[in-house]
Amino acid sequence: MPKIIPITDLRNTTKISELCHGKNEPIFITKNGYSDLVIMSMEAYESLTEGPQAVPGQKLGEMCFLTEQSPIWAGMLADVLRQHGVPFYQESSLGAGLAIKTGGLSERIRFFVPAAHHAAAKELVEELFSKEAE
């Protein structure tokens, strides 16, 4: 469950710092009852911005970006990639905290595949999502 606090609580910087480091996820700040800011520890920020983690047996440098899709299409793409034996890694473009806060409609899922499978995976994506297929 995301932590939501009012902007007036930012006066106690030590408490806010401890909260950010303890939760290791974004803290949502409200102003007059509305979403205003998001704060987080450097560790949480770096974990969100470092990119995909290595797939077991693969080096991180071998992973290539494939596509970004809505959750509904991402589920279908994941099934197709599995059926064709293409290993992949997927991650949310928003992160768990923001996805919960903003709702599923704004969520996007990013797909990464090993460089050796990129060409085959790209063909599958083009086949699934091309305008001609509609």
Side-chain angles (χ1 to χ4, degrees):
M1 183 85 172
K3 181 73 175 171
I4 302 170
I5 60 173
I7 200 163
T8 55
D9 285 3
L10 292 179
R11 291 182 186 136
N12 189 344
T13 57
T14 302
K15 178 183 170 189
I16 296 299
S17 177
E18 290 171 358
L19 183 62
C20 287
H21 288 283
K23 295 284 283 180
N24 203 25
E25 63 182 27
I27 308 296
F28 299 96
I29 310 298
T30 61
K31 183 177 180 181
N32 298 325
Y34 295 98
S35 297
D36 188 46
L37 302 168
V38 176
I39 59 173
M40 64 183 75
S41 67
M42 280 305 297
E43 294 84 13
Y45 175 77
E46 288 170 353
S47 72
L48 288 174
T49 59
E50 69 184 10
Q53 301 298 311
V55 173
Q58 296 287 332
K59 293 179 185 173
L60 184 59
E62 296 176 6
M63 299 299 283
C64 298
F65 175 77
L66 178 62
T67 187
E68 184 175 284
Q69 299 293 329
S70 67
I72 293 172
W73 293 113
M76 182 183 73
L77 178 57
D79 288 342
V80 169
L81 292 173
R82 280 187 206 101
Q83 290 170 4
H84 286 85
V86 177
F88 65 93
Y89 169 81
Q90 64 187 51
E91 70 178 9
S92 170
S93 62
L94 297 177
L98 288 176
I100 290 169
K101 182 74 174 162
T102 61
L105 295 178
S106 60
E107 172 109 37
R108 304 288 290 171
I109 308 297
R110 295 179 183 141
F111 283 81
F112 298 86
V113 296
H117 295 270
H118 190 261
K122 191 74 173 166
E123 286 180 26
L124 291 170
V125 167
E126 288 172 2
E127 186 177 323
L128 286 171
F129 302 111
S130 71
K131 298 273 185 206
E132 297 170 5
E134 292 178 1

